[in-house]
């Protein structure tokens, strides 16, 4: 019923930038919190950043000052601008949306993940 499409990943050199996007489509009533998580090889999935419906953002300490999360409510899309990338940012990045399908049904939706590789 709901599809999440992530884009913008790829290979970038240390110090470079990438912008991830995650667009939701389908039978959506409203979207509450939106967020990005990541999972590096051999590690657990971790929070990167979240943003509330009102625009309040929260970041992991490891990305503060380098990453910026934003959202376009009209497009049901969340973005992650990643600057000053480091090799330790290499991971599969997942978007996570708290979606209401109607006034009674609400659930968390995950994207399929997109690979970000930071390497020279």
């Amino acid at each position: 019923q709901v599809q999440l499409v992530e884009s913008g990943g790829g290979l970038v050199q240390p110090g470079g930038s990438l912008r991830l996007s995650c667009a939701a489509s389908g039978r959506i009533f409203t979207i509450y919190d939106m967020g990005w998580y990541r999972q590096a090889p051999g590690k657990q999935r971790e929070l990167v950043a979240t943003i509330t419906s009102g625009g309040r953002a929260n970041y992991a300490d490891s990305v503060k000052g380098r990453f910026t999360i934003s959202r376009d409510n009209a497009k049901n899309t969340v973005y992650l601008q990643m600057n000053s990338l480091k090799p330790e940012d290499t991971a599969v990045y997942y978007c996570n949306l708290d979606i209401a399908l109607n006034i009674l049904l609400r659930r968390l939706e995950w994207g399929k993940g997109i690979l970000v590789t930071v390497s020279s």
Side-chain angles (χ1 to χ4, degrees):
Q1 291 184 338
V2 176
Q3 297 81 39
L4 302 186
V5 178
E6 295 152 322
S7 61
L11 173 65
V12 63
Q13 292 185 342
S17 298
L18 283 175
R19 188 192 194 209
L20 304 183
S21 300
C22 174
S25 61
R27 297 176 64 86
I28 298 170
F29 179 65
T30 193
I31 302 178
Y32 298 102
D33 290 1
M34 305 172 107
W36 289 94
Y37 291 71
R38 68 185 181 187
Q39 187 167 17
K43 295 186 177 181
Q44 290 187 331
R45 191 173 298 187
E46 63 176 4
L47 171 72
V48 176
T50 61
I51 186 167
T52 67
S53 56
R56 185 175 64 208
N58 177 60
Y59 298 93
D61 288 343
S62 59
V63 306
K64 282 181 181 177
R66 300 188 298 121
F67 291 10
T68 301
I69 189 171
S70 60
R71 62 190 287 167
D72 184 332
N73 293 326
K75 295 181 179 180
N76 290 334
T77 299
V78 61
Y79 305 96
L80 186 68
Q81 177 67 44
M82 305 185 293
N83 299 328
S84 302
L85 282 161
K86 305 174 181 180
E88 51 263 43
D89 295 316
T90 295
V92 177
Y93 284 71
Y94 299 88
C95 61
N96 174 259
L97 276 59
D98 183 359
I99 296 176
L101 304 182
N102 52 54
I103 61 173
L104 298 177
L105 183 60
R106 177 175 173 178
R107 64 190 189 201
L108 294 176
E109 294 284 347
W110 287 91
K112 294 182 178 180
I114 189 164
L115 180 62
V116 171
T117 303
V118 184
S119 175
S120 55

